Amino acid sequence: GTCDLAPYGSAAAADSSTSTTWITESANCVDTCQIGYNVKINFQPDTSTVPTGYEADSGDAYGTRASGKEYGWSCDLTADTRWRQSSEDLLLDTLILPDREDICDETEWEIELPNDTYTVEVGYGDQYAGTNEQCFLEGVRASTSGRYASNRLGIFTTDVELTDGRLTFSGEFAGGDVPGWSSSSCTAVNYIKITQKGIRHGCNDAG
């Protein structure tokens, strides 16, 4: 028979950013549909427009956000966010220069997540160009090749198996806003997208 999907205990739509279990029942079937975590974070000043579908990270230290998610930096990096106002693409136009003033003991961004495997996409780009040779996810280099272009995003994608309940991005700015960048730096980070793998099952198109 046909199963009409509705979230268990509620008639509301699922929040695609959190793990939701859907229980569906009809006269002929019982179906379970699990939708995994799908988190999209944009690094930006708190005064800039938030890209559609994203949450803003404005460089605050790790903590609980208004959405209920727990994420943030190892120290207060609010002064390191930038809104260049030079591009119509907000994902390219807003960014953070991780620990530009070297104030963190260790420069890390973390988000609390259930242990599982995730596809992680990181966007890098700045009108002043730069490099991401020393940006890392879970201690593994998460860089595109060489110096990235000033007018487009460099995108790095990988699968990460999480075992400690927190996804960790690390890297520190080196050099200046303009030339003076270093090959050992993590100059500018624009956004991070995190999608839980292998969790969609028992789902139909309505899910």
Side-chain angles (χ1 to χ4, degrees):
T2 300
C3 296
D4 297 322
L5 284 175
Y8 179 75
S10 171
D15 177 356
S16 62
S17 67
T18 60
S19 184
T20 303
T21 300
W22 296 65
I23 307 296
T24 68
E25 297 185 28
S26 74
N28 300 313
C29 67
V30 175
D31 191 18
T32 300
C33 173
Q34 291 186 329
I35 302 174
Y37 279 75
N38 180 22
V39 183
K40 297 191 288 187
I41 305 293
N42 189 56
F43 299 108
Q44 61 177 84
D46 59 11
T47 54
S48 63
T49 304
V50 183
T52 302
Y54 283 76
E55 289 188 32
D57 182 294
S58 298
D60 294 295
Y62 186 92
T64 303
R65 305 302 174 217
S67 64
K69 300 181 183 69
E70 292 191 11
Y71 60 81
W73 294 89
S74 48
C75 68
D76 184 351
L77 298 182
T78 53
D80 294 343
T81 57
R82 299 289 187 272
W83 184 12
R84 298 304 191 192
Q85 301 188 56
S86 61
S87 171
E88 294 182 358
D89 183 354
L90 284 169
L91 292 178
L92 176 61
D93 209 36
T94 54
L95 53 107
I96 190 167
L97 311 173
D99 201 9
R100 189 176 187 278
E101 304 301 327
D102 195 23
I103 61 173
C104 297
D105 292 334
E106 294 185 6
T107 308
E108 295 179 340
W109 181 88
E110 291 189 307
I111 183 168
E112 183 180 65
L113 294 169
N115 289 337
D116 205 340
T117 302
Y118 296 84
T119 297
V120 183
E121 176 181 310
V122 185
Y124 304 101
D126 189 5
Q127 66 172 345
Y128 295 115
T131 181
N132 53 33
E133 287 302 311
Q134 294 296 317
C135 302
F136 298 89
L137 277 169
E138 294 292 302
V140 179
R141 183 172 282 113
S143 63
T144 57
S145 57
R147 189 176 186 178
Y148 48 75
S150 61
N151 59 352
R152 61 180 173 82
L153 285 163
I155 298 173
F156 175 86
T157 304
T158 190
D159 287 347
V160 175
E161 184 177 357
L162 196 63
T163 59
D164 63 356
R166 286 190 182 185
L167 178 74
T168 303
F169 175 89
S170 57
E172 184 174 344
F173 179 92
D177 275 343
V178 202
W181 63 277
S182 164
S183 61
S184 63
S185 68
C186 184
T187 308
V189 187
N190 302 66
Y191 70 83
I192 186 166
K193 293 167 61 175
I194 305 161
T195 305
Q196 196 170 11
K197 288 179 65 68
I199 195 70
R200 289 187 68 93
H201 56 82
C203 303
N204 65 18
D205 291 341

